């Protein structure tokens, strides 16, 4: 999978993550699950005594992640990626489907464990509402 296209896309993902200037880039973790026509990224910022969840821009980041996933020319493709920015550098770790315990099917619990692997056992702060772009979306009473 390591080729010029992969390297270009990994750098592009770092550039996309750097667009969030509200918090430092250092200590940023992107955890993403991917499959055919499916991408589920989550961004976390290490803020010392807590970890902050940041809303990903699915239009931009989702496309870059899917391009990276599709750039792998062998099967099976990876199912998860952990992309850490620390000390001004990034590292990317891929997890393949056969490396994921089928009994570990709670995506959110698994994601939280991976975040703690990098940042320790600190509280993860999630926003109370959807990102501002979604505020004007219609809502429906059921």
């Amino acid at each position: 999978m390591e080729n010029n296209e992969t390297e270009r896309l990994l750098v592009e993902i770092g550039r996309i993550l750097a667009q969030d200037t509200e918090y430092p880039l250092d200590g940023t973790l992107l955890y993403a699950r991917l499959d055919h026509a499916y991408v589920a990224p989550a961004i976390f910022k290490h803020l010392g005594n807590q970890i902050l969840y940041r809303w990903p821009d699915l239009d931009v980041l989702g496309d870059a992640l899917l391009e990276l996933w599709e750039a792998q020319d062998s099967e099976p493709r990876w199912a998860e990626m952990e992309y850490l920015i620390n000390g001004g550098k990034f590292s990317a770790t891929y997890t393949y489907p056969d490396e994921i315990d089928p009994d570990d099917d709670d995506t959110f619990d698994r994601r939280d464990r991976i975040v703690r692997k990098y940042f320790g056992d600190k509280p993860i702060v999630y926003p109370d509402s959807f990102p501002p772009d979604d505020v004007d979306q219609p809502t429906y009473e059921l």
Side-chain angles (χ1 to χ4, degrees):
M1 179 171 80
E2 293 302 318
N3 57 44
N4 288 340
E5 181 66 4
T6 298
E7 291 173 21
R8 182 190 71 76
L9 289 165
L10 287 169
V11 169
E12 176 66 12
I13 289 167
R15 188 191 66 72
I16 292 167
L17 294 172
Q19 291 176 354
D20 179 4
T21 58
E22 194 170 334
Y23 295 93
L25 182 60
D26 221 36
T28 297
L29 173 66
L30 164 65
Y31 168 73
R33 294 185 70 137
L34 285 94
D35 205 339
H36 293 281
Y38 169 81
V39 60
I43 301 169
F44 297 90
K45 299 279 190 170
H46 184 242
L47 300 179
N49 61 350
Q50 67 183 13
I51 302 158
L52 181 66
Y53 175 85
R54 300 292 288 164
W55 290 107
D57 181 342
L58 287 177
D59 292 334
V60 178
L61 184 58
D63 288 347
L65 286 166
L66 280 173
E67 282 185 58
L68 176 65
W69 186 79
E70 291 169 352
Q72 180 177 337
D73 53 6
S74 60
E75 292 289 337
R77 289 188 168 113
W78 48 274
E80 297 178 343
M81 181 179 70
E82 300 159 28
Y83 185 107
L84 179 68
I85 300 174
N86 215 1
K89 298 180 181 183
F90 75 84
S91 63
T93 304
Y94 304 100
T95 304
Y96 289 83
D98 63 345
E99 299 172 316
I100 299 172
D101 182 351
D103 294 330
D104 190 13
D105 61 354
D106 187 324
T107 301
F108 297 113
D109 286 345
R110 179 171 173 72
R111 181 183 71 185
D112 288 352
R113 281 195 308 276
I114 289 169
V115 171
R116 286 185 174 90
K117 174 176 78 172
Y118 288 97
F119 299 144
D121 191 19
K122 298 174 183 167
I124 300 174
V125 178
Y126 291 93
D128 293 330
S129 62
F130 290 103
D133 291 340
D134 290 347
V135 170
D136 294 331
Q137 296 296 320
T139 58
Y140 303 94
E141 297 280 334
L142 297 179

